Amino acid sequence: QQQVKQSPQSLIVQKGGISIINCAYENTAFDYFPWYQQFPGKGPALLIAIRPDVSEKKEGRFTISFNKSAKQFSLHIMDSQPGDSATYFCAASMAGSNTGKLIFGQGTTLQVKP
Amino acid sequence: GAVVSQHPSWVICKSGTSVKIECRSLDFQATTMFWYRQFPKQSLMLMATSNEGSKATYEQGVEKDKFLINHASLTLSTLTVTSAHPEDSSFYICSAGGVGGANVLTFGAGSRLTVL
């Protein structure tokens, strides 16, 4: 119930295309859903995050779509660029005593071909 | 913005020795920091929650005597891998939250530990 399942494991997209990564969770106590981008040998960097009271959040080329009833959320990268090639992790955390404890998905390695 | 600094960024040690990794919040105070471990091409696994002025809370399966955590100030947490063995070789990453919300975590750049 603590798991966050992420797919696909790897993704290859042409430059200018749309990259879509999906995540699903079981625990309805989760109330914060961030996406992180990680380059090799570096720590994860927060890309964008959403809370369950909204169904979509957009920041530049990055959009999170959130489906509360299905317990799913996804990251869309519009106009994908070679510089977006990295590993992306979805995550979830809950309020209360566990605030800040992130449960990460398995990660998706994105390759954007020029 | 919030910055978390880790040191060292990489370390090589001999089997049986102990290694200390520091995690500092540079421009904010963090009463809570988190330590993660990441194996190559895998996800981040939470090891422990570091609480300023009190004992760390370890996740199930993480040996607290093996991975000593000290959070002596609001800007510094340390992870000491004691009697390191080759299987402890990994990427250790800390994070701290509070800026923008308790859930909003800033991660350090990570520390690559190689035990020979």
Side-chain angles (χ1 to χ4, degrees):
Chain A
Q1 205 182 21
Q2 284 288 87
Q3 283 187 330
V4 177
K5 295 183 179 180
Q6 184 173 344
S7 63
Q9 187 176 357
S10 62
L11 181 62
I12 301 174
V13 173
Q14 289 294 127
K15 178 182 176 182
I18 302 174
S19 304
I20 302 174
I21 306 171
N22 302 299
C23 282
Y25 64 98
E26 289 294 325
N27 192 339
T28 55
F30 287 142
D31 71 342
Y32 176 70
F33 303 89
W35 284 90
Y36 283 86
Q37 178 189 58
Q38 185 180 31
F39 291 103
K42 302 295 184 183
L46 179 65
L47 258 184
I48 186 172
I50 198 168
R51 296 191 186 272
D53 52 346
V54 297
S55 60
E56 185 175 283
K57 183 175 181 180
K58 184 176 181 179
E59 289 183 3
R61 296 186 293 110
F62 302 93
T63 300
I64 299 180
S65 297
F66 187 82
N67 186 327
K68 189 174 181 178
S69 60
K71 292 184 282 188
Q72 295 175 348
F73 58 110
S74 60
L75 174 69
H76 295 233
I77 306 174
M78 312 299 288
D79 187 27
S80 299
Q81 299 296 313
D84 296 331
S85 298
T87 300
Y88 292 81
F89 293 96
C90 63
S93 71
M94 61 184 84
S97 61
N98 288 312
T99 295
K101 282 180 63 172
L102 287 175
I103 307 299
F104 281 88
Q106 294 80 0
T108 298
T109 301
L110 170 66
Q111 181 184 357
V112 181
K113 290 192 169 183
Chain B
V3 178
V4 174
S5 173
Q6 262 186 261
H7 178 80
S9 56
W10 59 270
V11 57
I12 301 173
C13 70
K14 292 183 178 180
S15 186
T17 60
S18 295
V19 174
K20 180 185 285 187
I21 300 170
E22 293 186 347
C23 178
R24 295 180 184 271
S25 55
L26 296 186
D27 48 2
F28 66 102
Q29 293 182 333
T31 55
T32 303
M33 292 185 177
F34 302 90
W35 286 95
Y36 290 82
R37 183 174 182 176
Q38 186 178 33
F39 290 107
K41 298 189 184 300
Q42 293 191 23
S43 187
L44 288 82
M45 297 299 295
L46 180 65
M47 297 175 66
T49 302
S50 171
N51 304 297
E52 187 268 336
S54 64
K55 291 183 179 180
T57 303
Y58 290 83
E59 295 300 302
Q60 191 173 9
V62 177
E63 299 176 59
K64 59 181 180 182
D65 295 329
K66 174 76 170 174
F67 300 99
L68 300 179
I69 292 173
N70 183 275
H71 194 156
S73 77
L74 287 172
T75 59
L76 174 63
S77 176
T78 60
L79 168 68
T80 302
V81 183
T82 63
S83 187
H85 290 282
E87 57 265 29
D88 298 324
S89 298
S90 188
F91 195 48
Y92 293 89
I93 313 173
C94 72
S95 67
V99 180
N103 312 69
V104 183
L105 298 186
T106 300
F107 283 80
S111 298
R112 172 77 58 194
L113 170 63
T114 301
V115 184
L116 301 177

